[in-house]
């Protein structure tokens, strides 16, 4: 008897292809065969009536700060970082990159233990981290970094100083370097070009990718000209032909980051996939916040979001390098569930469901340099999500999860759920 597991009968969304009544053969955590009309020896698991997608890869979020539905520096801890890795796995996220809000190198330590095989936790997403990000100081006030981590990010004071800081990040082997270029609607100081140019140059000297948080069209153009590899948000003031040309000429990745600015509504708060693993008071607190702001989003305005939808479609139509990003870990971007809300936002904006799924799997894995995941192909890690319904018909079906497998091992979702409910 072969030690392989043979999954049969499902619709497989492999990446760009859709295979009906398919066979997926997994051995030692790796996909060995995939296709239709295959014969293979091993333990047979029928998935008839199910749809299987690759596990989600999210290269942009903030881990460790959210408890329930609230983000605060006081909640940050190693234990909370690990809990969030469990919650990501529960929702079918295999890989997560925290961008710039590491506190006291906590994420770096967890990441290093995970890669060394000494973390001692199963059913967790793989963590990537940019360590502490870089922002300008605002004299007499908090800086323009994330509200929950303004004291954790690094306030740059000059080109030489910030180069030394980036060299320190390189010594810690960060997975990316992140900086913020955003005045927060004129309330905060912004990094000068001499500083963010030094950040980019020093990071590239050490072979590290640079992600720039921007808000305006002009900021996007400026960081691209300076050599940034990623803009972590769509420009919220629209796009133009010049930006599109810059993005394409420099092959810059643009994170979608849509759902964080989308008016969230409240129907999703009652979905079992969401409500079953959070305290009722936390869910109701978020509901009250959403109602208080409605019909506006929790961040920015509905008008700004409508502009983002137009920008997303324009960039997609132009062939710009779009990459999935849920900006998880703040506001209504609940750990693990935010990734599914981002998929919904992408489709609502006009992307076909298959294209949105590919952005969230294969394309995002490629951005992180992970050739071993992101699609259901021979030789890839067996990271996949078994769904009760077909997301090509309704993208919210990605939330109706029957099972999650990471490296061929079934995640104990029931055990995780019970532990959270009993906590």
């Amino acid at each position: 008897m072969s030690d392989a597991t043979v999954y049969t009968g499902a619709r497989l969304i492999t990446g760009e292809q859709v295979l009906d009544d398919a066979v997926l053969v997994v051995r030692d955590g790796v996909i060995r065969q995939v296709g239709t009309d295959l014969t293979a020896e091993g333990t047979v698991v029928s998935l008839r009536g199910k749809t299987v997608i690759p596990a989600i890869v999210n290269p942009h979020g903030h881990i460790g700060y959210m408890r329930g539905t609230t983000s605060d520096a006081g909640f940050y801890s190693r234990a909370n970082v690990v809990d969030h890795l469990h919650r990501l796995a529960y929702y079918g996220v295999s890989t997560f990159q925290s961008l710039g809000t590491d506190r006291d190198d906590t994420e770096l330590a967890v990441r290093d233990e995970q890669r060394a095989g000494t973390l001692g936790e199963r059913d967790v997403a793989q963590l990537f981290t940019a360590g502490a990000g870089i922002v300008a100081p605002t004299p007499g006030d908090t800086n323009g970094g994330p509200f929950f981590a303004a004291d954790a990010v690094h306030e740059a004071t000059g080109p030489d100083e910030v180069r030394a800081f980036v060299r320190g990040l390189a010594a810690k082997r960060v997975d990316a370097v992140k900086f913020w270029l955003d005045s927060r609607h004129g309330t905060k100081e912004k990094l000068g070009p001499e500083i963010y140019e030094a950040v980019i140059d020093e990071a590239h000297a050490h072979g590290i990718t640079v992600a720039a948080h921007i808000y305006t069209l002009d900021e996007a153009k400026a960081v691209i000209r300076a050599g940034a590899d990623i803009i972590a948000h769509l420009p919220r003031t629209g796009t133009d032909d010049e930006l599109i040309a810059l993005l394409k000429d420099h092959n810059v990745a643009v994170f979608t980051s849509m759902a964080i600015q989308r008016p969230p509504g409240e129907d999703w708060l009652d979905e079992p996939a969401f409500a079953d693993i959070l305290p009722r008071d936390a869910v109701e607190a978020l509901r009250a916040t959403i109602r208080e702001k409605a019909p506006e989003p929790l961040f920015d305005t509905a008008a700004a979001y409508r502009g983002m939808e137009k920008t997303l479609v324009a960039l997609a139509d132009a062939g710009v390098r779009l990459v999935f990003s849920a900006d998880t870990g703040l506001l209504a971007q609940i750990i693990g569930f935010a990734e599914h809300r981002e998929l919904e936002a992408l489709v609502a904006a006009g992307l076909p469901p298959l294209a949105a799924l590919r952005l969230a799997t294969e394309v995002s894995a490629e951005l992180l340099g992970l050739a071993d995941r992101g699609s259901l192909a021979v030789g890839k890690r067996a990271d996949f999500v078994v769904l009760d319904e077909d997301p090509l018909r309704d993208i919210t079906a990605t939330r109706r999860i029957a099972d999650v497998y990471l490296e061929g091992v079934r995640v104990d979702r029931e055990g995780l759920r019970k532990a959270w409910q009993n906590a």
Side-chain angles (χ1 to χ4, degrees):
M1 173 69 71
S2 169
D3 59 355
T5 304
V6 183
Y7 301 91
T8 64
R11 163 172 269 206
L12 297 188
I13 300 175
T14 65
E16 294 184 353
Q17 285 189 312
V18 181
L19 305 176
D20 288 314
D21 194 15
V23 177
L24 184 72
V25 181
V26 174
R27 187 176 67 252
D28 298 330
V30 176
I31 297 171
R32 306 297 178 175
Q33 290 179 271
V34 59
T36 56
D37 299 322
L38 293 177
T39 57
E41 293 186 357
T43 302
V44 176
V45 176
S46 175
L47 298 179
R48 191 159 300 280
K50 308 292 187 183
T51 299
V52 176
I53 64 172
I56 293 169
V57 175
N58 179 11
H60 180 198
H62 304 281
I63 202 167
Y65 288 89
M66 182 170 275
R67 182 175 294 169
T69 59
T70 302
S71 297
D72 188 271
F75 297 151
Y76 191 89
S77 68
R78 174 191 170 88
N80 210 30
V81 169
V82 173
D83 178 68
H84 288 178
L85 294 177
H86 285 300
R87 290 176 186 269
L88 290 159
Y90 178 88
Y91 281 117
V93 181
S94 74
T95 312
F96 183 90
Q97 179 167 252
S98 186
L99 267 188
T101 46
D102 192 1
R103 186 178 292 271
D104 300 324
D105 294 344
T106 301
E107 294 167 22
L108 285 161
V110 170
R111 180 206 66 177
D112 290 347
E113 289 179 33
Q114 190 175 46
R115 292 182 185 179
T118 59
L119 184 62
E121 300 280 346
R122 56 159 287 167
D123 298 340
V124 288
Q126 183 176 356
L127 179 62
F128 287 65
T129 179
I134 299 162
V135 69
T138 297
D141 199 356
T142 56
N143 59 56
F147 65 89
F148 50 85
D151 62 328
V153 298
H154 176 74
E155 295 186 351
T157 57
D160 292 339
E161 180 274 336
V162 83
R163 282 182 181 274
F165 180 76
V166 173
R167 286 195 293 273
L169 291 176
K172 298 171 185 177
R173 297 177 294 109
V174 294
D175 299 298
V177 169
K178 165 79 172 289
F179 70 86
W180 281 263
L181 184 65
D182 184 350
S183 72
R184 306 294 184 181
H185 298 293
T187 65
K188 306 295 181 182
E189 294 294 326
K190 294 199 305 184
L191 290 172
E194 74 283 358
I195 296 182
Y196 63 73
E197 288 170 3
V199 170
I200 295 167
D201 183 65
E202 192 67 37
H204 285 175
H206 294 277
I208 305 173
T209 296
V210 180
H213 169 111
I214 54 87
Y215 187 92
T216 70
L217 176 61
D218 287 343
E219 289 164 354
K221 292 177 182 178
V223 298
I224 294 167
R225 291 189 178 107
D229 305 288
I230 300 163
I231 55 173
H233 292 268
L234 300 170
R236 269 68 64 88
T237 56
T239 189
D240 61 17
D241 290 343
E242 182 182 32
L243 177 65
I244 289 172
L246 282 168
L247 289 167
K248 295 180 73 171
D249 289 347
H250 295 271
N251 193 31
V252 171
V254 181
F255 281 166
T256 56
S257 303
M258 296 283 289
I260 192 168
Q261 289 191 231
R262 190 182 191 214
E266 59 179 274
D267 291 348
W268 59 281
L269 298 176
D270 298 313
E271 291 187 28
F274 176 76
D276 280 0
I277 67 167
L278 287 173
R280 175 53 52 185
D281 60 346
V283 176
E284 292 310 311
L286 180 57
R287 190 191 309 273
T289 301
I290 290 171
R291 286 180 175 177
E292 182 181 356
K293 290 279 289 182
E296 296 297 314
L298 299 186
F299 173 70
D300 223 320
T301 66
Y305 183 73
R306 289 191 295 271
M308 287 176 63
E309 289 187 305
K310 293 178 181 177
T311 296
L312 179 78
V313 172
L315 297 184
D317 288 347
V320 166
R321 187 185 172 198
L322 290 172
V323 179
F324 177 87
S325 155
D327 206 356
T328 305
L330 66 156
L331 302 176
Q333 299 304 91
I334 309 302
I335 302 293
F337 202 80
E339 287 73 8
H340 299 273
R341 292 187 64 244
E342 182 71 15
L343 283 167
E344 182 184 16
L346 295 177
V347 172
L351 295 190
L354 187 60
L357 285 168
R358 185 168 177 270
L359 289 185
T361 54
E362 189 172 10
V363 172
S364 47
E366 288 172 354
L367 178 88
L368 294 179
L370 300 173
D372 65 344
R373 70 200 74 177
S375 63
L376 303 180
V378 173
K380 302 275 189 177
R381 282 184 13 158
D383 294 344
F384 59 93
V385 185
V386 182
L387 304 175
D388 289 324
E389 300 173 28
D390 185 356
L392 300 186
R393 296 190 178 98
D394 174 7
I395 194 62
T396 67
T398 62
R399 307 168 188 179
R400 293 183 276 283
I401 297 171
D403 275 308
V404 175
Y405 291 83
L406 298 181
E407 292 192 88
V409 178
R410 180 175 172 270
V411 171
D412 182 11
R413 299 181 76 244
E414 183 178 0
L416 289 172
R417 184 166 56 248
K418 286 181 177 178
W420 290 320
Q421 290 172 342
N422 291 335

